[in-house]
Amino acid sequence: MLKKVKSLIGLDIGSNCVKAVELTQVGGDLVITGFGQSEILSEGSKADAILDVLHSNTFRTRRVVTAVSGKSVIVRYLTMIQMSDDDLQNAIKFEADKYIPFDVEEVVLDCQRLEEDAAEMSAGTLNENEMRVLLVAVKRTLVDDHVALIQGIGLTPEVIDVDSFALGNAFEMRNMLSPSVEHDDNATALIDIGANKTNINILRGNTSYFTREIYLGGDDFTTAISKRLGVEAHQAELLKRDPGENYEQLRQAVTPAIDDLGNEIHLSFDYFENQFDKEVDEVYLSGGGSRLPLLEESFEKIFEKRTRTWDPTENLKINSDTVDVGKLKANAAQLAVAVGLASRIRKD
């Protein structure tokens, strides 16, 4: 009997770079069958960058999952009275205007009941007749523009996700495929450092409890290096990834920027820990900015928690006939959002 085969592309459209990862499900196996990335040269060249990725690499499908982020995306964690999913969908339409700064008519709304947490109930932060609900509201114009961009180049948008939740989905899939046992009640902070912003998603087990966007990122490191060392931005970018004998100069240049970002992240940890009476146990870094050589060590000192960069592709099979494995692994730290978007194939 032939195995059922289906594919889905996770398309992460960042501010500086487009990343695409295609996952194909063959029976019970998940295989990376396509991968590509391309720089975005200007705001108006996103379509060209996506087309470059598609034309320069091999993909089986044109079905994609993409994500939105930024100030037009509102995420709220609510405590509501227990009710059915149907009643929740109706109730949220009337409750949403209390929690979002936009007119309800201007946004696309979605909500989801979160898994009940016995620890929360025993701690008294959640009563037996209450439930935690995730509310997401996105400006309709942002969604419409995003869909138009995708459809305009011949792709089929299956889902429009949110960056931070894609990050969580990638980590959940990594745990699912890992032979090691993870503690269900561990609080794990996922920190994805992009060019212009940093996404935080704090999970307990596989459930998201806190998300935040911080508008600091890898470009701030590059600017600091450029100013301190007196070099052009492109050269500073190369030094950021491989400082060589300039390591000490690099460290002095970027330490203030690292401290600024680290302190903002630390404030988020404090909020989570005070809200849920649970410490963040460990920190996982991803995104292009995470490739800065001294970042892992610096953050571990700031947070006083185990901190490491992770590879969202580490437990996935790779089709070497259609994917440049060396290039994929060299850029794996940047692919957490793209992998998380493609991981929706598990729910397809």
Side-chain angles (χ1 to χ4, degrees):
M1 181 180 291
L2 294 175
K3 293 181 177 179
K4 183 180 179 182
V5 177
K6 55 182 180 178
S7 303
L8 192 62
I9 297 173
L11 185 63
D12 176 15
I13 307 171
S15 54
N16 288 4
C17 185
V18 170
K19 284 85 68 178
V21 174
E22 179 184 71
L23 281 182
T24 296
Q25 190 161 38
V26 184
D29 292 329
L30 287 173
V31 184
I32 298 178
T33 52
F35 159 69
Q37 62 183 59
S38 180
E39 285 189 38
I40 298 173
L41 301 179
S42 67
E43 180 63 27
S45 66
K46 287 183 178 179
D48 292 335
I50 298 169
L51 286 170
D52 181 56
V53 169
L54 296 175
H55 294 160
S56 303
N57 302 279
T58 302
F59 295 93
R60 299 179 177 213
T61 185
R62 288 297 183 262
R63 298 171 59 232
V64 301
V65 177
T66 62
V68 291
S69 62
K71 295 177 181 178
S72 293
V73 180
I74 306 298
V75 177
R76 296 287 184 265
Y77 294 82
L78 312 179
T79 299
M80 299 181 69
I81 300 298
Q82 285 279 2
M83 65 184 76
S84 70
D85 288 343
D86 287 343
D87 288 341
L88 173 61
Q89 291 293 335
N90 291 324
I92 208 71
K93 296 174 184 176
F94 297 100
E95 294 289 321
D97 61 353
K98 299 178 184 177
Y99 304 105
I100 60 176
F102 310 129
D103 189 317
V104 174
E105 298 302 317
E106 296 178 354
V107 301
V108 177
L109 284 174
D110 198 6
C111 64
Q112 181 177 329
R113 177 200 304 267
L114 297 175
E115 291 181 16
E116 294 181 6
D117 191 320
E120 275 195 81
M121 289 186 175
S122 64
T125 56
L126 196 66
N127 297 326
E128 287 186 10
N129 66 334
E130 293 178 328
M131 62 181 183
R132 295 181 69 246
V133 174
L134 175 65
L135 169 67
V136 180
V138 183
K139 275 279 192 81
R140 192 175 298 277
T141 52
L142 178 61
V143 174
D144 290 345
D145 289 347
H146 208 73
V147 170
L149 171 66
I150 300 305
Q151 291 179 332
I153 53 180
L155 297 173
T156 303
E158 298 288 328
V159 177
I160 306 295
D161 206 336
V162 174
D163 280 359
S164 55
F165 298 134
L167 188 61
N169 287 338
F171 194 75
E172 178 184 357
M173 183 171 66
R174 173 248 186 204
N175 289 348
M176 179 190 76
L177 298 174
S178 175
S180 61
V181 178
E182 298 286 337
H183 298 292
D184 286 342
D185 195 42
N186 263 12
T188 304
L190 307 178
I191 312 295
D192 191 75
I193 306 168
N196 298 325
K197 64 180 175 61
T198 295
N199 278 309
I200 303 174
N201 190 347
I202 301 179
L203 311 175
R204 287 182 74 171
N206 290 322
T207 302
S208 175
Y209 274 69
F210 175 91
T211 63
R212 183 188 173 198
E213 286 185 347
I214 298 171
Y215 292 94
L216 297 169
D219 283 355
D220 294 281
F221 302 155
T222 304
T223 299
I225 296 166
S226 177
K227 287 182 177 178
R228 181 67 180 258
L229 275 63
V231 297
E232 296 294 330
H234 71 276
Q235 188 177 350
E237 186 68 30
L238 293 174
L239 286 169
K240 185 173 71 175
R241 300 177 188 181
D242 183 13
E245 62 184 19
N246 298 297
Y247 182 87
E248 182 55 31
Q249 288 178 291
L250 178 88
R251 185 189 65 78
Q252 293 176 10
V254 298
T255 292
I258 291 174
D259 287 346
D260 287 345
L261 179 56
N263 290 335
E264 284 295 325
I265 295 170
H266 210 299
L267 288 174
S268 296
F269 291 177
D270 287 345
Y271 176 86
F272 167 82
E273 291 171 353
N274 290 332
Q275 187 82 4
F276 298 105
D277 195 27
K278 168 69 178 173
E279 283 194 20
V280 171
D281 296 297
E282 52 190 352
V283 180
Y284 285 80
L285 305 178
S286 60
S290 70
R291 296 186 297 176
L292 184 69
L294 67 158
L295 190 64
E296 198 173 288
E297 173 190 347
S298 299
F299 274 176
E300 193 155 77
K301 289 179 180 177
I302 293 172
F303 305 145
E304 297 182 340
K305 302 177 190 300
R306 182 190 181 204
T307 302
R308 58 173 169 153
T309 305
W310 65 291
D311 174 2
T313 72
E314 63 183 330
N315 296 321
L316 291 164
K317 295 181 178 180
I318 305 169
N319 184 341
S320 58
D321 292 335
T322 56
V323 175
D324 183 333
V325 179
K327 185 178 179 182
L328 175 79
K329 288 299 183 180
N331 293 280
Q334 300 182 75
L335 302 178
V337 171
V339 169
L341 294 171
S343 74
R344 280 186 172 266
I345 194 171
R346 296 185 297 135
K347 304 170 185 178
D348 204 354

